[in-house]
Amino acid sequence: MTPATPAPMTDISHRQAHASEQPPVPAIAETQTRADQWIICEHCDSVYEAMPLNKGAAAYCLRCAAILRRSHRLSIEQLLALSIAACVLFIFANVFPVISISMQGLHNEVTLWGSVQALAQGQITLIALVAGLAIILAPALQIALLFWVLAHAHRGEIAPGFKMCMRTLEHLRPWSMLEVCLLGILVAIVKLAGMLDVHAGVGLWAMAMLMVLIVLIAGKDIRRLWDELGVGPE
Amino acid sequence: MNGIPCAREYKVTLCHVCSYVCPDDAHECPRCDSPVHRRKPNSLTRTWAFLIAGLIFYIPANLLPVMYTTMLGSSSENTIMSGVIEFAEGGSWDIAILIFIASVVVPCIKFLVLGLLLVTCQRRSTWAMRERSRLFRFIELIGYWSMLDVLVVALVAALVQFRGLSTIEPRLGILFFGLVVVMTMLAAMTFDPRLIWDAEVEDVR
Ligand SMILES: [Zn+2]
Ligand SMILES: [Zn+2]
């Protein structure tokens, strides 16, 4: 058995990588050094040999059709710049109200934190913790940790606590729900528009832009730092 | 087997946190120090546990009210379904369908798909493995959108606080609904999709 080779993909619509010519069977001693160039599919455990990808290309697993790897769209500097922008937008999204309403001369507005607090009453406080994690804490930590590791990576350094930062980023990713929050804000606006005057706040626009940035910077792609900074086993 | 080798044949294991190719016998990833396992430990049992917990919470989530509204003296309690129906009757079909998909269709699809994956993996079925892999990635992707209703209730309850005129308060149902989302997310995380493909090879683990 030899590792198959994910061919570089230029045509995304063509949904599979092709196993091209088979490299020779590695000797046992060679195995661990060669393993650095292997990609293992996390969905089916197939082993492939990594090959350089063209810009905008992706390699797919031949067996289960999962994405094995994508080429990097952004450079470290661009990622760092986006994470600084995300930091500013995050502050805006949290300081300014996302929705304001008025009714018979009365006026009220809500921030993200205010909406989490509204859930924190009596028996249902637990869900306020989940919501707080999903829309405030997880994104805040993601942005802070990304800024920390990227700012050092930009200078070619490995940030202090790099391993812990990278592990935390991996574990936070599924719990960060800004996209859902944005849709929730839009639904709430439509819901209330029927009975009172509703206005979108500055926070909403910041949220919308922040969501795009988080999608760009906080994906699995950040794992490339392990290789690019040459962080290896001790 | 179609000529694509398994990690097992090379005595390596993937680290799920940093994608490092670890030696087979490692308990910790040499690169990022996370625990590594050839297969997630007790994947099927734990996924069943989270799935059943989710199903149990789903009952009160639908029966109990999620929101309590007072509007100019009159008050009403809404469950998730009655909220959807109210939207539909009020003419906002788009929002009704959106909330219906996020709070009813998505959790039900997750229950069904996870149940199907668990049963077929326990039977070591080789039926439609590629499609089952796709299904798993699909529910991983859509899972957290169910949080929509929780966040809408939070926003609306925080906004509509005009004493004497109109107030909206969250109710116990929303807690159970949030727990359903968390349980199904945990179920999807503890399920090991590689088990789908283990049916192809003998003597797994
Ligand atoms: Zn695969
Ligand atoms: Zn690792």
Side-chain angles (χ1 to χ4, degrees):
Chain A
M1 280 290 185
T2 50
T5 309
M9 291 283 307
T10 40
D11 180 11
I12 303 283
S13 65
H14 191 203
R15 291 220 123 225
Q16 280 172 19
H18 295 286
S20 57
E21 100 282 6
Q22 310 271 305
V25 183
I28 303 295
E30 226 186 324
T31 306
Q32 197 51 50
T33 51
R34 297 212 27 187
D36 296 344
Q37 285 113 54
W38 288 353
I39 304 179
I40 303 179
C41 173
E42 65 173 311
H43 288 272
C44 71
D45 246 3
S46 302
V47 182
Y48 297 91
E49 190 166 335
M51 274 179 65
L53 289 174
N54 291 339
K55 214 172 166 68
Y60 294 85
C61 176
L62 279 169
R63 193 189 280 165
C64 75
I67 291 181
L68 291 170
R69 215 171 56 148
R70 273 181 198 288
S71 68
H72 310 307
R73 289 197 204 93
L74 299 165
S75 67
I76 301 287
E77 291 90 75
Q78 286 170 322
L79 285 173
L80 178 62
L82 290 181
S83 74
I84 294 168
C87 187
V88 175
L89 286 171
F90 181 83
I91 294 169
F92 271 70
N94 276 276
V95 169
F96 293 101
V98 286
I99 311 177
S100 56
I101 58 170
S102 40
M103 182 193 194
Q104 301 182 7
L106 294 167
H107 181 80
N108 199 6
E109 51 191 26
V110 68
T111 57
L112 292 180
W113 176 241
S115 68
V116 171
Q117 273 183 317
L119 289 177
Q121 35 177 274
Q123 299 162 298
I124 63 166
T125 308
L126 183 60
I127 200 62
L129 296 179
V130 177
L133 173 71
I135 65 174
I136 300 177
L137 187 61
L141 277 173
Q142 278 183 309
I143 295 167
L145 293 174
L146 280 168
F147 174 73
W148 179 248
V149 293
L150 285 168
H152 285 83
H154 178 58
R155 287 179 286 158
E157 292 165 13
I158 298 167
F162 180 79
K163 284 185 183 186
M164 204 194 60
C165 295
M166 294 295 280
R167 284 201 307 263
T168 314
L169 279 171
E170 289 294 322
H171 294 127
L172 282 173
R173 192 176 302 125
W175 302 104
S176 170
M177 305 187 192
L178 284 182
E179 307 91 306
V180 186
C181 182
L182 187 67
L183 187 63
I185 294 170
L186 299 178
V187 170
I189 289 177
V190 177
K191 192 174 182 135
L192 294 173
M195 41 183 181
L196 6 97
D197 257 348
V198 190
H199 304 282
V202 176
L204 175 63
W205 307 117
M207 269 289 290
M209 288 186 280
L210 178 60
M211 188 207 84
V212 178
L213 292 190
I214 288 277
V215 170
L216 284 175
I217 62 176
K220 262 188 184 168
D221 201 35
I222 197 68
R223 286 186 191 178
R224 71 201 252 200
L225 288 183
W226 288 105
D227 292 326
E228 284 178 20
L229 293 174
V231 185
E234 276 119 44
Chain B
M1 295 266 323
N2 38 10
I4 306 167
C6 287
R8 198 173 55 97
E9 296 166 44
Y10 286 108
K11 303 209 174 342
V12 288
T13 311
L14 175 75
C15 169
H16 272 259
V17 174
C18 72
S19 306
Y20 188 69
V21 179
C22 308
D24 214 350
D25 48 3
H27 297 287
E28 258 186 12
C29 170
R31 184 160 76 173
C32 73
D33 303 341
S34 305
V36 286
H37 307 280
R38 250 171 279 178
R39 296 290 176 268
K40 294 176 188 170
N42 297 319
S43 172
L44 294 178
T45 322
R46 289 167 75 174
T47 310
W48 270 121
F50 284 126
L51 184 64
I52 291 168
L55 268 170
I56 292 171
F57 289 145
Y58 197 54
I59 300 167
N62 277 289
L63 295 180
L64 295 175
V66 292
M67 218 165 75
Y68 174 79
T69 316
T70 36
M71 192 78 184
L72 305 166
S74 68
S75 62
S76 63
E77 284 189 324
N78 268 3
T79 61
I80 288 173
M81 267 321 283
S82 76
V84 172
I85 293 167
E86 214 167 78
F87 266 123
E89 282 174 348
S92 10
W93 278 98
D94 35 3
I95 298 291
I97 291 170
L98 196 65
I99 295 190
F100 183 75
I101 289 175
S103 347
V104 182
V105 178
V106 170
C108 287
I109 287 181
K110 282 194 90 168
F111 291 138
L112 287 176
V113 169
L114 279 170
L116 175 86
L117 289 174
L118 285 168
V119 170
T120 49
C121 281
Q122 269 167 342
R123 293 175 151 203
R124 298 176 55 82
S125 158
T126 53
W127 166 74
M129 291 189 289
R130 190 181 262 255
E131 288 68 26
R132 276 155 55 208
S133 271
R134 284 221 174 93
L135 269 181
F136 175 73
R137 291 197 291 275
F138 177 67
I139 57 161
E140 242 188 346
L141 191 75
I142 61 168
Y144 69 146
W145 285 97
S146 306
M147 229 30 189
L148 182 69
D149 221 32
V150 175
L151 296 174
V152 172
V153 169
L155 286 161
V156 170
L159 271 173
V160 185
Q161 290 297 338
F162 301 121
R163 298 220 167 275
L165 273 177
S166 177
T167 53
I168 294 180
E169 283 171 35
R171 280 284 185 264
L172 197 55
I174 208 69
L175 168 68
F176 285 104
F177 192 76
L179 290 177
V180 171
V181 185
V182 172
M183 289 300 144
T184 53
M185 280 178 69
L186 290 172
M189 283 178 208
T190 52
F191 181 77
D192 195 327
R194 292 171 294 189
L195 293 173
I196 298 172
W197 296 91
D198 282 346
E200 264 193 339
V201 277
E202 295 306 312
D203 66 300
V204 222
R205 269 165 282 193

